Amino acid sequence: MLATLKRWMGAGPTVPSAEPAVVAPREAAVPALAAAGEADIPLLLEAARRAEAEGLSPWVLRDEARLETLRRSLEFVVHRGLWLQREAGQVAHWQGRLLALRHGDGPVLGMLLVCRRDDEAAWQLRFFFIAPEWQGRGHGARLLLAARRELRGTPLQTRLPLAGAVPASLEAAGFRRMHVDAGGVASFEAPAQWNDQRERMRGA
């Protein structure tokens, strides 16, 4: 009787339960922005070639020599944080960052390249993309919102053609359309100060 009472009170030996333990479901991973590595560069190069075929690339990549030049420039950004920018016939060393959006250690959802002349200048968004298999899910706006949080305190500017889903992603992330030239290329700017919570909701 005493042994039975001890088991009821928890003093006896523990007997493994035949029922499986109930584990609380894990929350869905939230895509996060991080520095891209050299292994990610081919993804951007391929995206730039797709964009060029649609007239949306900021670079001319019609031969392997130009593609290799871009590859080396991106490697310079990854390893040294510098973007090689041509100015007045010379090459200037701008600050540069290559960032990737991904789920933890999972595949890259998208990437972006930003650069600026110095600490006092606005960041220039040179190129961004979402991988084809991840398009149509709002990841373009998420990528841009994540970039704004990462580069907080500095305006973010870009000039891109008014074609495809790019303008919608920019505006969903709080970029303002400033000017459109005769060729249909628009200037956008995201201000340094912004309502993070409101933009999170708009980009969801």
Side-chain angles (χ1 to χ4, degrees):
M1 181 68 180
L2 182 59
T4 301
L5 182 60
K6 286 182 178 180
R7 284 199 301 273
W8 287 351
M9 299 298 291
T14 302
V15 179
S17 171
E19 295 295 326
V22 177
V23 180
R26 296 178 60 186
E27 294 183 2
V30 176
L33 198 64
E38 188 171 341
D40 300 319
I41 290 176
L43 298 174
L44 189 145
L45 294 176
E46 181 57 33
R49 296 186 83 163
R50 290 195 303 268
E52 183 183 33
E54 300 174 8
L56 302 176
S57 175
W59 305 292
V60 177
L61 305 173
R62 296 173 185 166
D63 56 62
E64 289 301 318
R66 291 174 184 265
L67 193 65
E68 183 60 25
T69 297
L70 178 56
R71 183 194 307 276
R72 291 180 180 177
S73 296
L74 294 171
E75 289 175 352
F76 209 66
V77 172
V78 167
H79 295 298
R80 301 187 61 181
L82 296 173
W83 172 251
L84 304 179
Q85 176 70 27
R86 187 170 295 280
E87 288 186 329
Q90 297 183 340
V91 176
H93 292 70
W94 285 25
Q95 297 175 16
R97 297 186 67 180
L98 186 61
L99 303 169
L101 185 73
R102 68 176 86 225
H103 283 112
D105 295 328
V108 170
L109 279 64
M111 295 173 64
L112 60 82
L113 171 68
V114 293
C115 60
R116 62 178 177 177
R117 182 179 288 105
D118 52 48
D119 290 340
E120 302 300 319
W123 284 103
Q124 304 295 319
L125 175 61
R126 285 302 172 88
F127 187 69
F128 77 96
F129 75 94
I130 297 297
E133 62 270 26
W134 295 102
Q135 291 176 7
R137 307 183 193 183
H139 289 311
R142 291 186 183 95
L143 172 65
L144 295 167
L145 283 168
R148 293 191 65 191
R149 287 191 288 274
E150 179 72 17
L151 306 172
R152 177 182 293 280
T154 305
L156 186 55
Q157 302 171 343
T158 191
R159 293 184 72 253
L160 295 168
L162 285 175
V166 168
S169 295
L170 288 164
E171 290 171 352
F175 283 73
R176 294 195 300 261
R177 191 181 305 183
M178 309 300 290
H179 177 262
V180 181
D181 66 18
V185 176
S187 298
F188 293 86
E189 179 171 307
Q193 303 301 324
W194 58 299
N195 187 327
D196 191 7
Q197 184 61 34
R198 185 181 66 184
E199 300 299 348
R200 281 173 186 258
M201 294 174 66
R202 287 177 59 183

